[in-house]
Amino acid sequence: MAAPESVIEIGSTGVRLLVAEFAPNGTQNIIDRSTMPLPLGKDVFTNGVISQETQNQLIQILKRFVEQLASWGIQPSATNCIALSAFRDAKNSDPIIDRILVQTGLRVHIIDGIEENKLVYLAVTDCIKDQSVHLMDDTVILVVGGSTTEIMMMSDGKMAGVHSLRLGTVRIEEQIKKRTSSYDDIQRYVKESIHNTKGSLENELNLAEVKQFIAVGSDVTLAAIHVGHPISTFLWEIDKNDFEAFVREIQKYSIDECVARFKIPYSEAETLQVSLLIYMRFLLFTKAERMLVPETNIRNGLLLSKNSGENEELRQEFVTQITASARNLLRKYHGDEKHAECVMMICAKLYDVLKNELALDDHARTLLETAAILHDIGSFIRYDNHNLHSSYIIKNSEIFGLSRKDITIVSEIAKYHKGTSVPQDEDSFLMLPRQDRMTILKLTAILRIADALDRGHIQKFSDISIKLEQNSLIIKTRNTKNTILERIALSEKSGMFESVFGYKVIML
């Protein structure tokens, strides 16, 4: 076994620690875990900030975890410490993160909702990989949290849509339970909140046709233990009718009764009923007859992601799901899919030829392919200045597997794929880190060349070869007839490429 690795998750209702070690074949073996309740979400959703008292409690919990990790020989600098929605929404998160670093040595990384989706997907696929469960059917993966509900929708094994919905247990608790304790009122509030999002979700996947429903989270795992059936050590199934009956039954319990019966902390009991209601309402939208419950979480996913760098099959799976999500977004806005695929193909060829010149990693290639798919998406609003509209749509969309920083880079590439302006003219671009600026410049220059080669959107060059020769980038095509439009486009759009890479673009 390799040296143990650890992750600390700072969530809306508590702080959780996981320590695991990995076998040479990539199998994860959990060797330690701890959970300490802490009402971070209640502070944030009530006052917008994390109170001084809660900060002090958080620091004490983290110091205790650091001592626990020391017994495994793990230093704070080697620990992955992540914060979720409560920290994202807290106005005073920056000074608290600094205080945590100073007093504990832990560096806290705040992850966004789409990053959560990616890590949960990784955890779920690892949990079900050796079971008779596959993701080729229309599938929903749902995670109900304190601040948000994360949903992934898959069709034919490909990502159809990902969303981080502002529908969380602590948020609802603060909004509704202060005004009423009636089960009917709470159910109506949850039902109508979910119904308001259903229409936008069904632009990407018809929920009524979903046959497979996967639920992740400690609350639904508790339900699985009581009314479900084990498929394997870490995978359960619950009959839809049994789950609905269980959810309706526990709505009659007081919080103290939930604590006594299920042996859970008071902070978890406070949100248990609302959490299971959300799972139930989404399940009832589908035609799934059972709910699958993998006993996993974002912490497992993070450790798996840290150990998947050498797993080429897993990396390719992620790239496939990212581009599938981008294609579905393009389809949603009625984009020209054939043009997008052609430009993406040429971008990939250019990237591979220039790989030694780029000094970028494989993830940058994925960002380029995503930008190639989405660069014209803004034509849905208006063709004039569609690059600006493309940038706006991308920046305000959710793409599976891409962090908020990644989406900003993709939106900037789309923004400058046409026109005479250059990124350096914009103050917003100059404020980005230097590494991000160089990534945007290099990938935008490539996208401009690829877009020029399909100027007419007719995919004239289905077979091209590209090579570097002295100070020139040579593009050879089999179809040499009537290429005046593409040659004009290249002369207009190659300036940035020549400036960034120092190669003159020649089309033969």
Side-chain angles (χ1 to χ4, degrees):
M1 290 283 185
E5 298 186 38
S6 61
V7 57
I8 296 173
E9 173 200 338
I10 304 173
S12 295
T13 59
V15 188
R16 301 166 183 91
L17 167 70
L18 180 70
V19 182
E21 54 187 5
F22 287 82
N25 64 358
T27 302
Q28 185 184 79
N29 178 35
I30 297 169
I31 56 177
D32 198 2
R33 66 176 86 201
S34 293
T35 298
M36 294 295 292
L38 188 66
L40 284 161
K42 185 174 290 187
D43 274 8
V44 174
F45 307 138
T46 303
N47 305 310
V49 296
I50 298 172
S51 69
Q52 192 67 44
E53 180 183 357
T54 303
Q55 289 182 45
N56 293 336
Q57 292 177 34
L58 174 60
I59 295 291
Q60 291 306 310
I61 291 170
L62 292 176
K63 285 181 176 179
R64 188 181 307 173
F65 283 175
V66 167
E67 291 177 3
Q68 189 172 339
L69 289 170
S71 67
W72 293 105
I74 302 174
Q75 297 297 317
S77 59
T79 299
N80 303 289
C81 188
I82 58 173
L84 308 184
S85 53
F87 260 69
R88 286 201 300 268
D89 294 342
K91 297 175 183 177
N92 60 340
S93 60
D94 285 342
I96 299 173
I97 289 174
D98 186 68
R99 185 180 170 195
I100 290 171
L101 176 61
V102 170
Q103 296 192 28
T104 70
L106 294 167
R107 291 187 178 275
V108 178
H109 170 56
I110 300 177
I111 66 174
D112 57 44
I114 301 306
E115 209 170 345
E116 283 188 52
N117 274 317
K118 171 186 172 182
L119 297 175
V120 169
Y121 173 80
L122 181 57
V124 168
T125 52
D126 182 72
C127 194
I128 66 175
K129 65 183 178 183
D130 296 324
Q131 309 304 318
S132 58
V133 178
H134 54 82
L135 300 177
M136 294 309 294
D137 294 328
D138 285 357
T139 301
V140 164
I141 303 174
L142 194 74
V143 188
V144 177
S147 172
T148 59
T149 291
E150 309 299 332
I151 184 169
M152 287 167 273
M153 301 178 293
M154 303 185 70
S155 179
D156 296 326
K158 299 294 188 295
M159 200 61 66
V162 289
H163 296 278
S164 183
L165 309 175
R166 293 180 69 82
L167 184 72
T169 56
V170 179
R171 194 185 296 275
I172 292 174
E173 189 81 16
E174 293 304 306
Q175 290 175 337
I176 190 71
K177 277 210 168 180
K178 286 183 177 178
R179 298 173 177 83
T180 178
S181 59
S182 164
Y183 167 69
D184 290 337
D185 288 343
I186 295 170
Q187 177 168 249
R188 181 185 172 194
Y189 179 87
V190 171
K191 182 178 180 180
E192 290 183 357
S193 297
I194 293 173
H195 185 77
N196 290 338
T197 67
K198 181 172 178 281
S200 62
L201 297 177
E202 291 198 328
N203 288 330
E204 297 161 339
L205 185 68
N206 183 2
L207 295 178
E209 295 301 317
V210 168
K211 297 179 181 178
Q212 187 162 257
F213 191 96
I214 300 176
V216 182
S218 59
D219 294 330
V220 74
T221 300
L222 182 148
I225 292 170
H226 283 81
V227 294
H229 309 282
I231 297 176
S232 66
T233 306
F234 297 108
L235 183 63
W236 301 74
E237 66 175 352
I238 315 176
D239 178 81
K240 177 189 277 189
N241 295 330
D242 291 343
F243 181 65
E244 186 176 0
F246 178 76
V247 174
R248 296 191 188 282
E249 174 64 25
I250 70 165
Q251 303 303 318
K252 303 172 186 176
Y253 298 172
S254 67
I255 295 175
D256 288 331
E257 287 173 327
C258 288
V259 171
R261 177 172 178 186
F262 301 121
K263 304 296 186 294
I264 57 177
Y266 192 87
S267 60
E268 292 182 18
E270 283 184 303
T271 58
L272 176 66
Q273 294 154 315
V274 172
S275 173
L276 295 183
L277 263 179
I278 296 172
Y279 284 110
M280 185 185 80
R281 294 312 319 177
F282 273 105
L283 177 63
L284 293 177
F285 279 142
T286 73
K287 67 192 309 183
E289 293 302 320
R290 64 171 185 166
M291 180 165 64
L292 294 172
V293 184
E295 196 173 340
T296 190
N297 51 58
I298 191 173
R299 301 180 294 285
N300 295 102
L302 181 60
L303 290 182
L304 286 164
S305 72
K306 296 293 183 182
N307 286 271
S308 63
E310 298 179 3
N311 188 332
E312 181 61 21
E313 183 180 350
L314 183 59
R315 193 190 71 78
Q316 286 297 332
E317 167 68 11
F318 267 121
V319 172
T320 299
Q321 296 299 355
I322 290 168
T323 53
S325 182
R327 288 186 180 99
N328 274 286
L329 182 61
L330 180 67
R331 202 167 294 128
K332 178 180 177 181
Y333 288 94
H334 307 290
D336 185 341
E337 294 182 52
K338 290 183 178 179
H339 172 65
E341 294 296 328
C342 179
V343 172
M344 185 181 76
M345 177 270 294
I346 298 172
C347 277
K349 286 191 174 185
L350 284 164
Y351 189 97
D352 292 341
V353 168
L354 294 162
K355 192 167 186 177
N356 293 334
E357 308 279 333
L358 288 165
L360 298 174
D361 57 18
D362 289 334
H363 186 62
R365 190 180 194 271
T366 303
L367 297 182
L368 175 61
E369 292 178 344
T370 305
I373 293 170
L374 299 174
H375 71 281
D376 278 349
I377 196 172
S379 299
F380 177 82
I381 298 174
R382 187 180 180 184
Y383 185 75
D384 291 345
N385 295 320
H386 71 269
N387 55 316
L388 302 180
H389 303 314
S390 294
S391 178
Y392 175 83
I393 290 173
I394 294 167
K395 195 171 289 185
N396 290 278
S397 296
E398 296 171 320
I399 302 171
F400 173 80
L402 298 189
S403 66
R404 211 21 77 183
K405 173 185 172 182
D406 291 336
I407 290 175
T408 297
I409 291 174
V410 171
S411 70
E412 289 291 297
I413 296 168
K415 182 178 181 180
Y416 296 108
H417 85 272
K418 70 178 289 288
T420 56
S421 64
V422 293
Q424 296 94 319
D425 293 336
E426 300 279 348
D427 289 340
S428 59
F429 173 79
L430 297 175
M431 291 175 66
L432 294 172
R434 181 184 179 281
Q435 184 176 353
D436 293 352
R437 296 200 306 270
M438 287 309 303
T439 298
I440 291 166
L441 283 172
K442 290 175 180 179
L443 301 187
T444 302
I446 292 173
L447 177 58
R448 285 192 175 201
I449 298 298
D451 191 38
L453 291 173
D454 193 35
R455 179 66 172 267
H457 289 224
I458 57 175
Q459 297 78 59
K460 179 179 291 185
F461 306 131
S462 58
D463 186 11
I464 64 172
S465 64
I466 305 169
K467 66 177 180 178
L468 294 176
E469 202 169 275
Q470 295 182 344
N471 295 322
S472 300
L473 179 81
I474 310 296
I475 301 172
K476 291 184 178 180
T477 67
R478 288 190 177 183
N479 186 349
T480 58
K481 296 181 180 178
N482 194 17
T483 59
I484 186 64
L485 190 63
E486 289 74 26
R487 294 180 185 277
I488 291 173
L490 269 179
S491 67
E492 292 173 349
K493 304 187 76 167
S494 61
M496 180 183 288
F497 186 92
E498 294 173 1
S499 173
V500 170
F501 293 105
Y503 289 107
K504 182 174 180 62
V505 181
I506 300 174
M507 179 176 166
L508 301 179

